[in-house]
Amino acid sequence: MLTTEDFTHFPVQMWEKVLSKVKKAVVFMDDKCAEALHWCGGAAVLLEAGARNLKEFSSFEACAVNEPKAVFVVSTLLKGRTVDVIKDIIFLSHFQYCVVFTTVAHSVHLLANNVTTEMEGSPVFEQFEEKLCEWMGNMNYTAEVLHVPVVFAPVSQQLLLTPTFAHLFPLLSPDLESLNEKRPEKKRFGSLVDVDMHSLPVGLQLEIKSLASALNSLFEATGTREECFAVGPMSRIIAGELANHPHAKNRRKIAQNKASIIFVDRTMDLTGAVGHQGDNLVEKILTVLKRLPGHVTDVQVDMLELTSVQRTPHSQSTLAPGCLAQTQSPAAQSLWEAMLTNKHKEGVMEVRRQLVETASKEKLPIKMSMGRVTPEQLCSYMQLFRSSWGALESHCGVLQLGLATAQTLGHPSLPRWDACLAFERLLLQALGDSDFPVMLRQLLPLMKPRGGEDSTLGWRSREDECGPDELILLLVYLYSLADKAQPADQDTQGTLEKLERELIGALTLVITRETELSPLLQKLTGCANPEELTTERAHSTVEEMFKTLRGLSHTRDHLKQLRSVYTPSDGVHQATYRPFLRQILEEVFHPERLECPDIEHMSGGLTDLLKTGFSMFMKVSRPHPSDNPLLFLFLVGGVTPSELRLIKEIVTTHKPGTQLCVMALWAVGFDEQQRMELPAEQRRSAGLRIMRVPPRSQQTSTARGSVPRHHRGYRGKPNAAHRNTKMTQSWCKIG
């Protein structure tokens, strides 16, 4: 019988196909593929396979005369900017052998070129091979174009992420308005539930088809026949695309293994994503530490404690950061699993235990101490490894996880986590006794600029109070938690609108008074620094944000059973938040196998359709998610480590023998909140609507080794199509 390890090993198998081609080659890779490789061994596996160098996929990169072979690994269609960059690199180099790997299947390339029928062979790839030879300057040179779905990142034994599709997110109410604008009045959609695949923008359709193709490759490699289920509008579209994938019909006929996969829209429950109730160490690490550049699943760990370098304002730029992805060390992998799935206190205690045990093995002069774990204590343990380079190299993985823990425990923003948690608990208890406007009014006293003067507290510190990021999260928490944030009567509606206008004004003031814009505020406003941000721009951004917020409390309106994540107090028990994922799994593993109308089975062919139709008149059992020994839970959006622990506990309690694998687009830190709060126009540009990148303007061809026209006479920033992004540091792991 298949286990989850068979599926988490699939990404490594796919990278082996790439490794078979990299001997004596210079490898050019984009950020999304680099992040997937980051969790499958990193640059080390490429170099061990014989690669000569690893470079960023950029028009500003090239190779020397003595480097005749290149391998390109990209996560995009072979169109537009991707083609331009490959062409630029070839023109500036002296290649005789080029291999291009794309994660996008050939069938999706056909659709992107408006070819709707299946064709023999791979004509799009073959034409591109001819183009590569033409750019290299000799049609007798060798060129290969291959599809390999290197889109999965095995973050743990039970968690697969797909950073390649991290920009996908369930549709929100502003998106429905955008779709309806382009449709005749009589054909406009009444709700997001009515939206189908063909009504989506072409770019978004291609992204969904690419995701379905990658999942099909996963099931094909493991010989699995899957039953698809969906909860939510976007999940329904993705599950339907996978169920009816053209290459899946023959696979399902001969597949020996069976599995169920449930797609769930993240917007069904954003309370769990933005709330601070998660008692997990990794969740706090992902929240407070800075992201690795170009990554959505890993953070930067300051390695200065392991050196003798003096800490200065510029010292961090002299040392490559560490990270959480430790794929080479079994001890580090074991520690990572414990940190990811245990409670916060248990995770911290395990970090200390591992550090003490490791130091003892290396016979370092460690001083044992019991009681509360402090960041100073953890740092003192790790500083002992400075004196032994061999020990430092051998246990670098454990040390990086230890440093991440210490830096999180000592982070100045961590106390605000407890402050937000306390306020969320107050809102939770008060929600059942008060109407929604009263709940919103409780947020008004918090809407004050940080570091300002308060009549009762005097001058307030920026360290101990909520900033705009936390205030936005509280708003998302409340709107997502409330079942109905739109009152029925006119008087209450008028009160709510007036209160929202007050909140918009107050939050605008808070944002404009910030001395530094956080990554969240930069994405929301489109401004890199406070000097660029005008009051008008901040006000319009917050107004757009509230339009999205109003729709969050209605994302479950179409459901028949799982309509609420809030259980009010009954006088004996306190009000509680009931995670949506908990409710789904309890329905799946119910001992009586009750059919939940909200978990929709997506038919994959005529047989399934007939079975579904006859079940209305005869006793024909419909497929149930618990029918199969293997269950996939695919979150269309992010997943938090706390939710991962919750899922594991529920499965262990209700059906211990079930093999369960969680799949998501990314791990929730602040990225989740940044996506859900982007104004509609920015969400489209951020990838909610994947728009085609127009080809670069016509330019004269350049001779081999010369500089492309758009680089000549360069005096400022490169144009948007060729902006050189900061080199990803996914390969800069110590040791």
Side-chain angles (χ1 to χ4, degrees):
M1 186 181 74
L2 281 179
T3 64
T4 54
E5 285 76 10
D6 295 305
F7 291 90
T8 53
H9 186 62
F10 170 76
V12 178
Q13 293 176 326
M14 293 300 100
W15 277 107
E16 287 173 355
K17 295 183 179 181
V18 177
L19 299 180
S20 66
K21 297 287 185 179
V22 302
K23 189 174 183 180
K24 297 182 179 180
V26 176
V27 181
F28 297 87
M29 191 178 300
D30 65 20
D31 283 354
K32 292 177 181 178
C33 291
E35 184 164 13
L37 177 64
H38 180 66
W39 291 94
C40 294
V45 295
L46 285 175
L47 299 176
E48 289 168 3
R52 298 182 63 175
N53 202 351
L54 184 58
K55 296 189 176 186
E56 184 184 9
F57 184 69
S58 166
S59 293
F60 293 86
E61 296 288 354
C63 289
V65 179
N66 62 344
E67 295 173 322
K69 183 180 177 181
V71 173
F72 299 90
V73 187
V74 297
S75 59
T76 53
L77 286 164
L78 299 179
K79 294 187 70 176
R81 177 185 177 275
T82 301
V83 174
D84 291 338
V85 174
I86 292 175
K87 183 178 180 180
D88 290 342
I89 294 173
I90 292 176
F91 275 11
L92 293 170
S93 307
H94 299 75
F95 298 137
Q96 300 175 19
Y97 184 6
C98 281
V99 183
V100 176
F101 288 101
T102 174
T103 65
V104 182
H106 184 265
S107 58
V108 181
H109 277 83
L110 288 176
L111 290 172
N113 288 279
N114 300 315
V115 179
T116 57
T117 58
E118 286 292 321
M119 301 181 70
E120 293 185 4
S122 303
V124 177
F125 290 173
E126 290 167 5
Q127 289 176 15
F128 198 71
E129 288 173 355
E130 293 179 4
K131 283 288 184 183
L132 291 173
C133 291
E134 181 183 325
W135 297 335
M136 285 189 286
N138 190 330
M139 299 305 291
N140 293 320
Y141 286 164
T142 306
E144 296 179 76
V145 179
L146 304 166
H147 160 61
V148 179
V150 285
V151 300
F152 297 101
V155 174
S156 80
Q157 295 176 359
Q158 293 180 319
L159 177 62
L160 277 175
L161 298 181
T162 56
T164 302
F165 302 100
H167 48 266
L168 281 179
F169 197 71
L171 299 175
L172 298 169
S173 51
D175 304 305
L176 181 64
E177 297 174 9
S178 300
L179 289 174
N180 281 333
E181 285 175 359
K182 301 176 182 179
R183 298 177 68 85
E185 187 172 350
K186 292 184 179 180
K187 294 186 178 181
R188 290 183 177 178
F189 299 116
S191 68
L192 290 171
V193 182
D194 303 325
V195 177
D196 57 16
M197 179 69 163
H198 300 292
S199 62
L200 298 175
V202 175
L204 185 54
Q205 290 186 42
L206 295 176
E207 285 294 312
I208 292 173
K209 287 182 179 293
S210 294
L211 176 58
S213 175
L215 290 170
N216 179 71
S217 298
L218 172 67
F219 292 131
E220 186 173 3
T222 53
T224 304
R225 173 193 171 96
E226 79 285 2
E227 294 287 352
C228 298
F229 302 85
V231 185
M234 180 64 88
S235 290
R236 190 174 183 276
I237 294 173
I238 297 174
E241 192 61 32
L242 176 60
N244 295 284
H245 193 276
H247 296 158
K249 187 176 181 180
N250 293 330
R251 164 174 62 82
R252 294 190 181 109
K253 287 181 180 178
I254 61 175
Q256 299 295 315
N257 306 294
K258 294 183 179 181
S260 300
I261 180 167
I262 306 175
F263 293 87
V264 183
D265 280 9
R266 176 75 266 184
T267 47
M268 294 295 103
D269 178 13
L270 292 178
T271 304
V274 301
H276 295 74
Q277 70 277 356
D279 185 22
N280 182 270
L281 174 59
V282 174
E283 195 162 327
K284 295 177 181 178
I285 291 174
L286 292 174
T287 300
V288 302
L289 297 188
K290 292 181 179 179
R291 296 281 179 184
L292 274 174
H295 284 239
V296 295
T297 58
D298 209 344
V299 296
Q300 300 181 56
V301 179
D302 187 354
M303 304 293 286
L304 211 61
E305 291 289 344
L306 300 181
T307 72
S308 300
V309 178
Q310 186 176 359
R311 188 174 295 278
T312 65
H314 306 290
S315 58
Q316 288 187 343
S317 62
T318 64
L319 188 65
C323 61
L324 301 177
Q326 305 300 328
T327 59
Q328 306 297 324
S329 166
Q333 286 180 318
S334 173
L335 177 58
W336 169 246
E337 293 286 343
M339 293 168 61
L340 188 64
T341 57
N342 289 344
K343 292 184 177 181
H344 173 86
K345 183 178 180 180
E346 295 168 354
V348 172
M349 295 292 287
E350 181 63 18
V351 170
R352 181 172 70 175
R353 189 192 68 79
Q354 285 263 27
L355 289 174
V356 170
E357 186 177 297
T358 302
S360 300
K361 283 182 180 179
E362 296 294 335
K363 298 180 180 180
L364 299 174
I366 190 168
K367 294 182 180 179
M368 294 291 295
S369 58
M370 303 301 291
R372 181 170 172 267
V373 181
T374 64
E376 293 78 17
Q377 180 189 87
L378 295 178
C379 286
S380 68
Y381 293 161
M382 289 178 283
Q383 287 170 358
L384 297 173
F385 289 83
R386 290 179 181 175
S387 58
S388 174
W389 174 251
L392 184 64
E393 187 176 16
S394 299
H395 307 288
C396 195
V398 172
L399 293 175
Q400 288 180 68
L401 296 177
L403 284 171
T405 302
Q407 289 161 24
T408 299
L409 295 179
H411 201 278
S413 68
L414 194 61
R416 294 204 294 272
W417 180 288
D418 295 329
C420 289
L421 176 60
F423 201 81
E424 287 166 4
R425 286 175 174 170
L426 289 175
L427 292 174
L428 188 66
Q429 298 308 315
L431 186 59
D433 302 325
S434 308
D435 57 18
F436 193 71
V438 173
M439 299 302 302
L440 277 183
R441 190 171 295 281
Q442 296 190 34
L443 294 178
L444 266 177
L446 297 178
M447 300 281 182
K448 294 180 180 178
R450 288 191 289 181
E453 188 174 3
D454 186 278
S455 58
T456 57
L457 301 176
W459 285 96
R460 303 183 300 163
S461 168
R462 295 178 60 86
E463 301 294 342
D464 58 4
E465 58 187 332
C466 292
D469 287 12
E470 289 81 13
L471 296 175
I472 291 171
L473 299 189
L474 286 173
L475 284 168
V476 176
Y477 179 90
L478 189 55
Y479 273 89
S480 181
L481 184 67
D483 295 332
K484 290 186 178 180
Q486 299 297 331
D489 59 282
Q490 293 295 324
D491 292 339
T492 310
Q493 178 68 30
T495 303
L496 177 60
E497 291 176 356
K498 180 181 178 182
L499 184 56
E500 285 184 341
R501 286 195 295 269
E502 291 182 42
L503 286 168
I504 290 171
L507 187 54
T508 299
L509 180 62
V510 170
I511 293 174
T512 53
R513 292 288 181 88
E514 286 291 289
T515 57
E516 183 179 350
L517 298 183
S518 66
L520 173 59
L521 292 182
Q522 289 179 26
K523 280 196 173 184
L524 283 171
T525 62
C527 299
N529 53 67
E531 290 74 21
E532 298 178 19
L533 182 61
T534 62
T535 303
E536 292 76 13
R537 189 164 189 172
H539 190 270
S540 62
T541 297
V542 178
E543 280 187 326
E544 287 292 326
M545 187 183 75
F546 266 83
K547 288 181 183 178
T548 303
L549 286 171
R550 293 183 195 110
L552 290 184
S553 59
H554 295 283
T555 55
R556 298 183 296 272
D557 284 357
H558 68 284
L559 301 180
K560 299 176 181 178
Q561 184 175 330
L562 310 176
R563 293 175 63 91
S564 177
V565 294
Y566 177 72
T567 303
S569 172
D570 58 4
V572 178
H573 304 93
Q574 288 187 328
T576 57
Y577 157 63
R578 292 194 66 222
F580 193 74
L581 292 178
R582 174 187 287 279
Q583 297 182 54
I584 288 178
L585 291 175
E586 286 175 350
E587 289 295 326
V588 169
F589 297 125
H590 196 285
E592 297 181 10
R593 294 182 74 257
L594 300 176
E595 185 175 323
C596 180
D598 299 327
I599 305 176
E600 182 179 0
H601 176 250
M602 305 305 297
S603 301
L606 181 60
T607 303
D608 290 332
L609 285 171
L610 290 173
K611 186 183 294 186
T612 303
F614 282 126
S615 67
M616 297 173 65
F617 310 101
M618 303 170 60
K619 290 185 178 180
V620 178
S621 60
R622 293 186 181 184
H624 193 275
S626 64
D627 289 342
N628 301 313
L630 183 62
L631 176 64
F632 288 90
L633 193 61
F634 194 111
L635 290 169
V636 183
V639 62
T640 69
S642 297
E643 289 172 332
L644 190 63
R645 180 167 58 86
L646 172 69
I647 293 167
K648 184 178 179 181
E649 290 174 352
I650 293 173
V651 173
T652 303
T653 302
H654 289 80
K655 201 171 181 181
T658 301
Q659 292 284 323
L660 186 136
C661 183
V662 179
M663 306 177 79
L665 303 182
W666 69 89
V668 171
F670 275 160
D671 276 343
E672 181 84 56
Q673 298 103 34
Q674 289 167 6
R675 283 173 177 79
M676 66 187 67
E677 286 308 315
L678 284 178
E681 195 62 37
Q682 291 186 39
R683 274 190 281 110
R684 284 195 286 276
S685 64
L688 186 57
R689 300 267 207 284
I690 310 300
M691 307 305 290
R692 288 184 179 178
V693 179
R696 187 178 47 185
S697 58
Q698 296 294 324
Q699 60 183 37
T700 57
S701 59
T702 55
R704 178 183 301 277
S706 62
V707 181
R709 193 179 76 176
H710 61 279
H711 290 174
R712 296 178 195 151
Y714 172 65
R715 291 293 182 270
K717 295 182 179 180
N719 59 48
H722 297 278
R723 188 171 291 114
N724 187 18
T725 55
K726 188 174 181 180
M727 181 63 177
T728 179
Q729 299 184 41
S730 54
W731 315 301
C732 298
K733 293 193 293 184
I734 304 297

